[in-house]
Amino acid sequence: MPEPVTQTLDVPGATLTYDVRGDLANRPVLLIIGSPMGASGFPTLASHFEDRTVVTYDPRGVERSVRNGELTELSPEQHAADLAALIDHLDVGPVDLFASSGGAVNALALTAARPDLIRLVVPHEPPLAGILPDHEAATAAVEDMYETYQRDGMGPGMAKFITLVSYDGEIPADYTQQPAPDPAMFGLPTEDDGKRDDALLGQNLRGCTSYQPDFDALAKAKDRIVIGIGEESANQLAARGGKAVAERLGLTPEVFPSGHGGFLGNEYGQPGKPVEFAAKLREVLG
């Protein structure tokens, strides 16, 4: 696969950094996104699509994409506007779009707002706590996580994040009353460094998980939407979010190999099954 060519795009409030692998003019384009995962999470997956031009990017406030001004919380609609600006700038729409986790939420927002930019979108495990049957308990757990981060710092907040996203099944009403997990159990810092600029816990967490998709708009584009869930994800929150979206749209989710990060190679030392995952994605994209 060609080496990525890195460029930037100025959008209101930020400068986005993106990478292009291949020729934009003569090959189908596959846009691969996450949130808050940036482009650094996708080299392995991109390497399996040498017949396509692959575009990855860092969402605003992540890695190389710098925000301007105050670091307020972000919404999926803001990320969708960034994605629309990127696709319009590249002049390559409509594109195929694979989107992971928070990126899947942002991709649903983009599809609702600008379906003209999408040929096929594969939102993989969108963590939409706000549309689950147990949404009150789930969103309360997210709020507690956010408040813990703001009060105690990254380690305690991230420990609660890991515990919540790995919880299997509906979130019980007394979930936030249970003993807090020890950050040291996950190799996380126990001391507060005073920073509150974490892209996940500080900027994207609440807007992403509480997002209410525009199902009326999505229903009009449902023939272009393929919901993905991980075969090892069971009834964890993000997989349940994917199932809930599929049910609302009358779709059958596609089951992908491995779990939430099944596409990963060794980018973060927690590889999934990238060969099998890429094969499944190629099958879904047709």
Side-chain angles (χ1 to χ4, degrees), residues 51-224:
D51 56 327
R52 291 172 173 259
T53 296
V54 177
V55 178
T56 55
Y57 94 124
D58 296 336
R60 65 169 59 207
V62 172
E63 298 181 12
R64 304 165 298 172
S65 289
V66 180
R67 296 180 62 185
N68 305 323
E70 184 181 358
L71 297 182
T72 56
E73 292 182 81
L74 297 170
S75 70
E77 291 92 345
Q78 288 174 295
H79 287 298
D82 288 346
L83 290 165
L86 176 59
I87 297 170
D88 282 336
H89 171 71
L90 295 173
D91 195 23
V92 293
V95 300
D96 286 334
L97 172 56
F98 171 77
S100 167
S101 194
V105 177
N106 300 339
L108 290 169
L110 172 66
T111 304
R114 292 290 306 275
D116 58 299
L117 297 179
I118 303 299
R119 189 193 78 87
L120 190 72
V121 58
V122 185
H124 184 261
E125 299 204 350
L128 289 165
I131 67 170
L132 299 177
D134 51 322
H135 62 90
E136 290 186 3
T139 54
V142 171
E143 184 65 26
D144 176 66
M145 185 194 314
Y146 178 80
E147 292 175 357
T148 298
Y149 169 67
Q150 293 295 341
R151 182 182 64 247
D152 301 327
M154 194 273 287
M158 187 60 71
K160 286 189 173 181
F161 172 80
I162 295 170
T163 303
L164 178 65
V165 299
S166 59
Y167 190 91
D168 189 64
E170 292 196 1
I171 308 301
D174 64 348
Y175 182 87
T176 59
Q177 300 169 30
Q178 298 174 12
D182 180 1
M185 291 172 50
F186 305 103
L188 294 166
T190 56
E191 297 295 324
D192 185 359
D193 63 6
K195 296 180 180 179
R196 297 296 185 267
D197 58 356
D198 186 77
L200 168 61
L201 298 173
Q203 297 179 47
N204 289 289
L205 178 69
R206 295 197 297 183
C208 173
T209 55
S210 66
Y211 177 66
Q212 295 289 322
D214 184 343
F215 284 107
D216 289 337
L218 292 173
K220 297 175 183 177
K222 61 185 280 185
D223 59 335
R224 283 172 270 176

Side-chain angles (χ1 to χ4, degrees), residues 218-242:
L218 292 173
K220 297 175 183 177
K222 61 185 280 185
D223 59 335
R224 283 172 270 176
I225 301 172
V226 178
I227 302 297
I229 58 174
E231 66 178 350
E232 298 174 7
S233 297
N235 285 309
Q236 294 173 352
L237 189 146
R240 293 175 61 223

